[in-house]
Amino acid sequence: MGTVLETDTVTCSRREQLRASLKGWMPWVGKGSLAILDQGLFASSNFLLNVLLARWLAPAEYGAFALAYSVFLLLLVFHSAVFTGPMLVFGPGKYRERFPEYLGILLRGHFALMLPGAALLVATAFLLGWLYSPAVERAFLALAIAAPFILLLWLLRRAFYVRLNPGWAAAGGGVYLLILLASTLTLRAAGRLTAATGFLAMAAASLITCLLLLVLLRPMLATDSSSIRAVAADHWRYGKWVAASAGPYWVTDNIYFLVLPAWVGLAEAGGLKALLNLAMPALHTIAALGVLLLPILVRDRDCGGPRAMKRTMKLSLALFLLGSACYLALLWGFRLQIFHLLYAGKYTAYASWPLLLVGLLPFAQSLPNVMGGALGALEQPNLVFWSSVGSGAVALALGVPLAFSLGVGGALVGLVVSYVLMGVLMLFFLMRSVHRERYITRI
């Protein structure tokens, strides 16, 4: 009888622990859902803008937008390495008790960086306008105006993650989406939609959304110089490897938007961007899940070591590859309908083997996302950097000549091969790092 009572007591205790555990997880499920909603809103905004511009603009005009947008992505990676990434580490940690002051320092740093950055974009506008076309010049001049506001919005969105309140970031995403679509449709109706005004629509949507988020965050701009130096030192120490990776990553992804217009015209750059738009939903999903994978791998590392990480990595990679296979099947099976629906029949000349290469991009990026997360969990960002260097070298040595000879299809081959090599290099570095750690542990 006593044994039965003890068993019932243990069972009840386990049920209570399960209920408590589920109750504790519920707020995090809600916050995670809001974070995914935030990512989805901003990704959808940029995806819709690119689709509408590709649909309504001439291929050469859209190529000018694609060229300028590729340079913006370089600014985004560098800006995230210097400001946003470190803020997600130091904001909830070292500077938790004085976050408004800390955010104010980051805002001052943002504008201090963007003033010379905008001046450099203006100089680039005149140079590339002379090399390519007046449409490119106008697009870069508009980007010089838009970039400070777009990058500020990325910074402020992440500040809500530090406060564990992604709901407001998602609300900002909704505001941004509505304003951007309204601006784009208004420009289209007025006959003023161009590559340049597309960037100005992004600037207007970003500025209005930033003002809303600043009211909610209430940063403190007044601070002393010693605090500024301390924050700058912390951010650079943490983000220098990521910042160094910005160049090789950009070469891997975007060098083709520079070389295609020089060799075969802006229309080819527009065609490449239109094709890559079709891979963006899958690539954004993999990237978002990769962000969520990193803290899980850190937990596995602390609790079970490399063996526990290995199980999570295998499961994640299988999930990414299965999702990529489903996406490729849908993309290829409905390719003509997709081109008609999104681009009104434009760019259908690429609806053969170039589209198949686009469908392989999610496969190619699955391995780097998983391996990069594992190297990040092991605090080895330098190995991620060297992997990106190898990938960028392949883009220059193989991808650029292929783009020269085959156009858009050659550029896509270069992209796929570069990302496959990046994943292989990360896997090699990861295995070597784990082997070295086990050897040291045995000693």
Side-chain angles (χ1 to χ4, degrees):
M1 187 72 175
T3 303
V4 174
L5 290 175
E6 288 173 2
T7 303
D8 291 342
T9 302
V10 171
T11 303
C12 291
S13 177
R14 287 177 178 173
R15 288 176 180 171
E16 291 173 0
Q17 290 176 0
L18 179 60
R19 290 195 199 98
S21 177
L22 291 174
K23 187 176 180 181
W25 273 100
M26 287 306 295
W28 293 103
V29 171
K31 292 179 186 295
S33 300
L34 290 172
I36 294 173
L37 176 61
D38 170 50
Q39 295 286 343
L41 286 170
F42 277 93
S44 299
S45 301
N46 293 324
F47 175 75
L48 288 173
L49 176 65
N50 271 279
V51 167
L52 293 176
L53 291 177
R55 182 185 180 95
W56 290 334
L57 298 182
E61 183 76 21
Y62 184 57
F65 178 86
L67 174 58
Y69 194 82
S70 69
V71 174
F72 165 73
L73 293 178
L74 175 61
L75 295 176
L76 175 61
V77 174
F78 183 79
H79 186 274
S80 297
V82 175
F83 293 104
T84 308
M87 179 184 68
L88 292 173
V89 174
F90 297 118
K94 184 175 181 179
Y95 299 105
R96 180 178 65 254
E97 300 300 328
R98 48 193 182 104
F99 184 74
E101 177 188 355
Y102 170 66
L103 181 59
I105 294 174
L106 297 186
L107 293 179
R108 292 176 62 171
H110 165 80
F111 286 109
L113 179 66
M114 290 313 303
L115 287 175
L120 182 60
L121 285 173
V122 170
T124 303
F126 293 120
L127 174 63
L128 295 184
W130 175 71
L131 287 174
Y132 296 124
S133 74
V136 173
E137 179 180 321
R138 291 190 294 270
F140 271 87
L141 290 174
L143 178 60
I145 298 172
F149 301 111
I150 301 172
L151 294 176
L152 177 61
L153 178 58
W154 281 73
L155 177 64
L156 296 179
R157 286 172 55 212
R158 295 305 192 208
F160 285 102
Y161 285 69
V162 175
R163 291 296 187 89
L164 297 179
N165 193 359
W168 283 115
V175 172
Y176 177 81
L177 173 61
L178 292 175
I179 297 174
L180 181 62
L181 285 180
S183 302
T184 305
L185 293 174
T186 301
L187 289 168
R188 163 71 173 174
R192 297 298 182 92
L193 185 63
T194 63
T197 57
F199 280 114
L200 295 180
M202 294 175 70
S206 298
L207 175 59
I208 295 172
T209 309
C210 284
L211 293 175
L212 170 64
L213 299 184
L214 284 170
V215 170
L216 296 169
L217 288 167
R218 298 180 181 179
M220 294 174 55
L221 296 179
T223 187
D224 60 280
S225 58
S226 61
S227 297
I228 294 176
R229 287 194 296 269
V231 170
D234 286 335
H235 275 237
W236 183 244
R237 184 178 66 254
Y238 181 87
K240 60 185 178 182
W241 282 110
V242 182
S245 302
Y249 266 117
W250 184 86
V251 169
T252 299
D253 279 337
N254 297 285
I255 189 63
Y256 309 105
F257 292 107
L258 281 180
V259 299
L260 283 175
W263 289 333
V264 291
L266 282 168
E268 289 287 296
L272 176 60
K273 182 63 175 174
L275 278 173
L276 291 177
N277 289 339
L278 302 181
M280 284 301 110
L283 297 181
H284 282 308
T285 301
I286 291 173
L289 292 175
V291 172
L292 294 175
L293 177 63
L294 178 57
I296 297 174
L297 289 173
V298 171
R299 183 197 63 189
D300 290 342
R301 179 203 66 190
D302 294 339
C303 296
R307 188 182 299 274
M309 290 178 60
K310 186 177 180 180
R311 289 194 298 268
T312 301
M313 291 163 58
K314 285 183 176 180
L315 180 61
S316 301
L317 185 59
L319 175 64
F320 289 168
L321 293 177
L322 178 60
S324 298
C326 294
Y327 194 82
L328 174 60
L330 291 173
L331 186 64
W332 185 255
F334 296 95
R335 57 191 182 279
L336 296 180
Q337 294 89 333
I338 290 172
F339 276 98
H340 178 74
L341 176 65
L342 297 183
Y343 300 136
K346 293 167 65 176
Y347 304 108
T348 52
Y350 302 114
S352 55
W353 66 273
L355 182 64
L356 185 61
L357 290 170
V358 169
L360 294 178
L361 279 173
F363 291 93
Q365 291 200 18
S366 294
L367 186 62
N369 268 275
V370 175
M371 297 302 129
L375 289 173
L378 293 175
E379 300 180 11
Q380 298 281 356
N382 56 316
L383 300 181
V384 176
F385 165 73
W386 289 115
S387 300
S388 68
V389 169
S391 175
V394 169
L396 292 174
L398 177 66
V400 169
L402 285 174
F404 178 76
S405 59
L406 300 176
V408 170
L412 290 170
V413 171
L415 273 171
V416 172
V417 174
S418 295
Y419 271 102
V420 169
L421 178 66
M422 182 187 293
V424 171
L425 286 173
M426 287 180 175
L427 176 60
F428 168 75
F429 287 136
L430 177 65
M431 293 174 64
R432 191 178 68 171
S433 179
V434 171
H435 177 74
R436 181 182 302 163
E437 181 179 332
R438 287 174 177 170
Y439 177 75
I440 294 173
T441 302
R442 285 199 301 267
I443 293 176

